[in-house]
Amino acid sequence: MSSTDTKAAKLIRKCVIPAAGLGTRFLPATKAVPKEMLPIVDTPTLQYIVEEAVKAGMEDVVVINGRGKGSIEDHFDIAFELETTMRARGKTADADRMRAIANLVRIISVRQKEPLGLGHAVLCAKSVIGDEPFGVLLGDDMIDSEDPGIGQLARIYQQHQKAVIALMEVPESETHMYGIAAGKDLGNGVIQIDHVVEKPKKGTAPSNLAVIGRYVLPPSIFPILEKQTTGVGGEIQLTDGLATLQKTEGLLGYKFQGQRYDAGDKVGYLKANIAYALKRPDLRGGLLEYLREVVKTEKP
Ligand code: G1P
């Protein structure tokens, strides 16, 4: 096997989920409950993200958390008393469902002691990731797709042996809310990025291609992030690190397949709840009936 073959053979088996943010946009709900534990219908947003990673073949999920995030670890652990009580009451299927969450994947918790930014959060996973390419999934971005979003990116990484980030077209009026990338269209949704910038000021965005929270990165991002100075909002930005990576090794973008919901925004969160509830046979009928009623009676 040549060294290139060895490199190509390295599957993406580890991923990082930053979950140390304060969740101020969802106060007071997030005063005592981590933002990542807020439910879409009846399942914490973080569980959907972990399930996406597992579906894409991830074996180790590194959750970067901070103070007051203990319930995240509890959620992915065995709830012995709950399960025992449920089994005693004959609710075996429910107990099995709870056990399945604990058996989903190996979760490794890493503490980010200060909220210094997304780039810093990813850097906190350095020693767990080691010398392998890895995925990053941001909990605010829900990607509803049969073919998991992070798996789509992992395939592009395997093919090109280059860092790849998820991209989506957004209206011009929203470009200041995202990382924005521009570059050459290589076909099949792949973009060779020549410029990426975090939250450009209104009217200065190089394109309308927004960075959505899925990334597959080489371990060479870590030394870059170690040197990264603060950027937008006084934070160590992952996008600034990616801009350096683009110059040194190259960077691809991928227009992923699937419906994206911004669960970090209140309207986006509500939309995700409705969309996921409509997919549930037990909820669809009742919810549709109510929505039709609302459309009929509510004034704009
Ligand atoms: C983060 C990234 C940004 C990206 C966005 C996608 O920003 O820094 O580049 O476009 O996620 O959701 P945040 O929304 O955490 O401010």
Side-chain angles (χ1 to χ4, degrees):
M1 212 185 231
S2 76
S3 66
T4 337
D5 290 337
T6 321
K7 211 178 163 196
K10 272 195 179 174
L11 292 174
I12 321 296
R13 289 289 178 235
K14 293 183 180 176
C15 68
V16 179
I17 305 181
L22 297 175
T24 47
R25 277 198 273 177
F26 278 83
L27 282 169
T30 47
K31 191 178 171 200
V33 176
K35 168 175 84 162
E36 297 76 16
M37 292 304 290
L38 296 182
I40 305 283
V41 187
D42 52 10
T43 301
T45 48
L46 183 62
Q47 189 179 322
Y48 291 99
I49 306 292
V50 169
E51 283 170 349
E52 176 186 330
V54 171
K55 208 170 168 197
M58 301 291 170
E59 289 165 2
D60 288 315
V61 174
V62 187
V63 176
I64 310 297
N65 55 32
R67 290 176 73 80
K69 303 272 184 167
S71 60
I72 293 181
E73 281 178 42
D74 289 344
H75 185 74
F76 292 98
D77 197 358
I78 292 172
F80 184 75
E81 285 159 9
L82 178 67
E83 280 183 31
T84 310
T85 309
M86 284 170 132
R87 286 188 204 286
R89 291 181 185 166
K91 300 197 168 206
T92 316
D94 288 334
D96 289 348
R97 229 156 38 94
M98 295 309 105
R99 177 57 65 100
I101 299 169
N103 290 342
L104 260 177
V105 73
R106 190 162 43 227
I107 302 268
I108 301 153
S109 294
V110 174
R111 191 93 164 206
Q112 184 188 25
K113 291 179 186 153
E114 287 176 275
L116 298 180
L118 181 58
H120 179 260
V122 171
L123 181 57
C124 290
K126 182 184 169 200
S127 59
V128 186
I129 298 294
D131 193 26
E132 285 182 38
F134 62 101
V136 178
L137 298 92
L138 304 190
D140 282 349
D141 287 313
M142 310 274 304
I143 296 181
D144 186 15
S145 168
E146 261 307 300
D147 185 6
I150 195 68
Q152 297 177 35
L153 264 62
R155 288 201 299 272
I156 302 291
Y157 187 100
Q158 297 289 339
Q159 231 176 309
H160 299 263
Q161 289 299 306
K162 215 170 261 181
V164 52
I165 64 179
L167 296 179
M168 185 182 106
E169 283 173 20
V170 297
E172 293 267 348
S173 58
E174 290 177 13
T175 50
H176 65 286
M177 294 155 56
Y178 295 92
I180 298 289
K184 185 172 154 212
D185 197 331
L186 301 181
N188 296 322
V190 181
I191 314 283
Q192 189 178 306
I193 296 175
D194 56 34
H195 192 44
V196 60
V197 53
E198 178 68 5
K199 305 200 174 85
K201 289 207 169 69
K202 281 188 182 167
T204 68
S207 83
N208 69 337
L209 279 178
V211 179
I212 300 302
R214 299 291 183 278
Y215 312 73
V216 176
L217 304 174
S220 51
I221 191 69
F222 292 126
I224 294 175
L225 291 173
E226 271 163 348
K227 285 191 225 103
Q228 191 59 58
T229 50
T230 54
V232 172
E235 296 191 344
I236 297 173
Q237 296 290 352
L238 180 58
T239 308
D240 294 341
L242 294 174
T244 305
L245 191 71
Q246 182 269 318
K247 291 189 189 90
T248 52
E249 296 180 25
L251 177 67
L252 298 175
Y254 183 62
K255 293 190 208 164
F256 59 94
Q257 314 288 317
Q259 177 66 46
R260 177 249 182 183
Y261 298 95
D262 180 4
D265 166 76
K266 279 178 200 140
V267 173
Y269 176 76
L270 294 171
K271 282 183 187 170
N273 270 282
I274 293 172
Y276 281 71
L278 286 175
K279 291 202 297 181
R280 291 262 299 257
D282 55 333
L283 305 175
R284 186 180 166 80
L287 182 58
L288 265 182
E289 199 178 309
Y290 173 68
L291 290 175
R292 288 199 183 103
E293 196 54 39
V294 169
V295 171
K296 240 191 283 163
T297 53
E298 281 291 312
K299 297 202 175 64

